[in-house]
Amino acid sequence: MRETIGRALRRQRVAVAVAVAVGLLWGLAAGLARTSGQTALLMLVPLVALLWSLMRAFGKPGAADLRADERERAFFVPPTGRMSYRWVLLAFLTYTTTNQLASDREDLWWFYPALAGPLAVLLAVLLWRRVPSVALTPAGIEASHPLQQVRVPWEALDPAVPSLSYRRSTVLRLPVRSRDQVRLRGIGSRRHTVVETGELDVAPDVLASAIQHYAAHPEHRAAIGTPQEYARLRSALAGGG
């Protein structure tokens, strides 16, 4: 699990560096060029790329199964291998900041870089630190994405309430009944405990069913991560008991 997540993080760090470099170069080119049709194209391409990436973020969810790591005693989910909309957003924020600073603007020209610049720095730092992932362990659920980390012990979940999926199955809302047991770090809502699945390499219904299964069957939690439990879980989720 650690090796898989580590490789994904290294890949994301390369993407962060490329996004910043592309944003800087494109922003300089658009900001220093004179007003022309070519300049208009330079300014339109980043916006089109951003809109395209946002559409992909709410596109088709993953279809893979959980993965098992016996050494780490976990069933886990790594991020997908496709490009993240967050990388494109970082490039766009960098482009916007650089473009405005390089342009000969008047009036409120400073407003754009003052807003987009800090957001680009913050997003770059967050993307450098974490990738989307989920791990089911004997103790509970550990979910992570660049903006947030959350740990939910099994005892904090209501076994009678299933995890709810919404926004085209890109988010799972966990049925937390004891919010004081939830450990949350980062940026996000404190009112609802959710797991983002849009960039995870797993079918959302498989993840939701596994969480519901262990919330309702505490006798199986201790074996999480073992090959025997993995086989039993898959059989149970497939309707084999």
Side-chain angles (χ1 to χ4, degrees):
M1 180 176 72
R2 294 182 185 273
E3 293 81 359
T4 303
I5 302 301
R7 286 194 299 269
L9 182 58
R10 289 191 293 272
R11 183 170 62 248
Q12 180 165 278
R13 286 175 174 176
V14 172
V16 168
V18 171
V20 171
V22 170
L24 284 172
L25 294 175
W26 208 275
L28 284 172
L32 296 177
R34 295 181 178 180
T35 302
S36 64
Q38 188 177 18
T39 304
L41 180 61
L42 286 173
M43 300 177 66
L44 179 62
V45 169
L47 181 59
V48 172
L50 178 63
L51 293 175
W52 172 80
S53 65
L54 290 176
M55 290 175 61
R56 282 178 59 94
F58 298 97
K60 187 177 180 180
D65 206 342
L66 296 172
R67 304 185 187 186
D69 189 322
E70 186 173 11
R71 185 178 61 181
E72 297 288 340
R73 298 299 302 277
F75 298 143
F76 73 100
V77 181
T80 63
R82 63 175 182 262
M83 181 174 63
S84 169
Y85 75 94
R86 293 187 176 95
W87 305 348
V88 182
L89 177 59
L90 175 60
F92 181 80
L93 291 172
T94 306
Y95 153 80
T96 301
T97 303
T98 308
N99 180 29
Q100 295 298 323
L101 290 176
S103 301
D104 186 12
R105 303 296 178 89
E106 298 178 355
D107 299 327
L108 296 177
W109 70 270
W110 52 266
F111 175 78
Y112 300 99
L115 178 64
L119 288 177
V121 172
L122 176 61
L123 182 57
V125 171
L126 293 175
L127 290 173
W128 196 265
R129 296 175 60 188
R130 291 191 292 266
V131 294
S133 64
V134 173
L136 307 184
T137 71
I141 306 165
E142 299 179 5
S144 175
H145 65 83
L147 273 64
Q148 186 182 89
Q149 282 183 314
V150 62
R151 293 186 178 184
V152 184
W154 295 115
E155 293 76 13
L157 298 180
D158 187 345
V161 180
S163 299
L164 299 178
S165 176
Y166 58 100
R167 293 184 184 178
R168 294 189 182 182
S169 299
T170 62
V171 176
L172 293 178
R173 181 173 174 179
L174 301 180
V176 174
R177 61 180 177 181
S178 302
R179 196 157 299 280
D180 58 330
Q181 298 184 54
V182 176
R183 297 294 177 263
L184 187 149
R185 296 175 57 189
I187 304 171
S189 173
R190 263 62 178 177
R191 295 182 57 189
H192 304 293
T193 305
V194 299
V195 175
E196 289 193 8
T197 61
E199 295 187 289
L200 294 177
D201 191 21
V202 68
D205 57 337
V206 170
L207 180 59
S209 298
I211 291 174
Q212 173 66 19
H213 181 81
Y214 287 116
H217 296 279
E219 68 275 14
H220 298 309
R221 297 171 188 167
I224 290 178
T226 63
Q228 296 82 4
E229 176 59 18
Y230 185 67
R232 192 205 62 79
L233 175 65
R234 295 189 65 179
S235 175
L237 297 186

